[in-house]
Amino acid sequence: KPLTVIGPVPLRKWLNAYKTVEAIEFEFVSNAKLGASAQWTGADPEKLLADTEAGRLGVKISTVEVKHSCKHACGVLVRAPPVPPLWQGWSVVYSGDTRPCEALVGLGEGATLLIHEATFENGLEADARHKQHSTTGEALEVGQRMHASRTLLTHFSQRYAKCPVLSQVSNPGVPQGEGNTPAEPSAMVAFDLMTLNLADLASLPSVLPAVEALSAQEDWIDYREDVE
């Protein structure tokens, strides 16, 4: 069965051109028909995805325009339904390249996992605004305002040899508990070739100290320099 591809219309033109080089079969769905503009186009997101694997599993996909200099930049929400008594359902939000975005916060309210770009370190807010990206602290704040259970930071600038040390970030992604005491940390940093099982989300922040220690080693820094 052809692969279902969801994205901006220009992507379909690129895929059609690529078909002349390699035989690929796909069904294309414009992400605009899965977002807020769907009400104006008369599109029915559930019908559009009904014949796809996501539709058969009851998974819903929604997109929203985000704040980035690149045209057609969008964030996406993937939401799976509950299957009692196995699980209560889950939702994953991916920001793509963006400044902190109210539309994304609203789309992902209560998300199980937010994957958000954190291109710039704290203190480089002016650069982040100029290039339409987010700082580490801004990304963590989006996760807090979204009430995401876990926030995974990614898309770090190659100018930094080390991963962000969240304990040194002014907004460490730690919501305040009762009595104004910090609750459990909810954030983690992504790294190359990382895979993540949603069943491991509860223990995800406990891995952070090991990742931060690893990134401080010379071998990690040499690897990043080789990539650059």
Side-chain angles (χ1 to χ4, degrees), residues 28 31 33 47 72 80 87 131 144 147 154 168 177 183 195 216 226:
F28 190 86
N31 65 281
K33 295 183 178 181
K47 288 184 178 180
H72 305 296
W87 65 61
K131 296 188 177 181
Q144 288 183 343
H147 302 108
T154 188
Q168 299 177 6
T195 60
D226 288 344

Side-chain angles (χ1 to χ4, degrees), residues 42 57 81 96 106 112 114 151 177 218:
L57 293 173
T112 308
L114 166 65
T151 299
E218 292 299 325

Side-chain angles (χ1 to χ4, degrees), residues 98-175:
T98 184
R99 290 287 297 146
C101 179
E102 287 294 331
L104 187 71
V105 172
L107 178 72
E109 172 63 33
T112 308
L113 175 66
L114 166 65
I115 305 171
H116 201 288
E117 71 122 288
T119 304
F120 289 94
E121 291 180 329
N122 274 19
L124 297 177
E125 285 76 14
D127 289 333
R129 287 190 294 270
H130 176 68
K131 296 188 177 181
Q132 295 290 283
H133 287 291
S134 300
T135 66
T136 301
E138 288 173 333
L140 293 173
E141 183 178 2
V142 170
Q144 288 183 343
R145 292 169 53 214
M146 187 183 289
H147 302 108
S149 176
R150 291 288 183 264
T151 299
L152 184 64
L153 304 183
T154 188
H155 197 266
F156 310 120
S157 174
Q158 291 294 318
R159 73 182 66 188
Y160 310 124
K162 301 179 182 180
C163 75
V165 180
L166 299 190
S167 60
Q168 299 177 6
V169 175
S170 58
N171 187 338
V174 182

Side-chain angles (χ1 to χ4, degrees), residues 35 69 77 128 174 178:
S69 53
L77 165 70
V174 182
E178 294 184 7

Side-chain angles (χ1 to χ4, degrees), residues 140 144 148-151 166-167 171-177 181-188 201-209 212:
L140 293 173
Q144 288 183 343
S149 176
R150 291 288 183 264
T151 299
L166 299 190
S167 60
N171 187 338
V174 182
Q176 295 298 302
T181 58
E184 274 301 305
S186 60
M188 176 61 182
L201 284 182
S203 59
L204 184 63
S206 66
V207 183
L208 182 60
E212 290 180 341

Side-chain angles (χ1 to χ4, degrees), residues 191-216:
F191 50 86
D192 292 347
L193 305 180
M194 180 182 188
T195 60
L196 177 62
N197 191 317
L198 292 179
D200 297 328
L201 284 182
S203 59
L204 184 63
S206 66
V207 183
L208 182 60
V211 174
E212 290 180 341
L214 178 63
S215 73

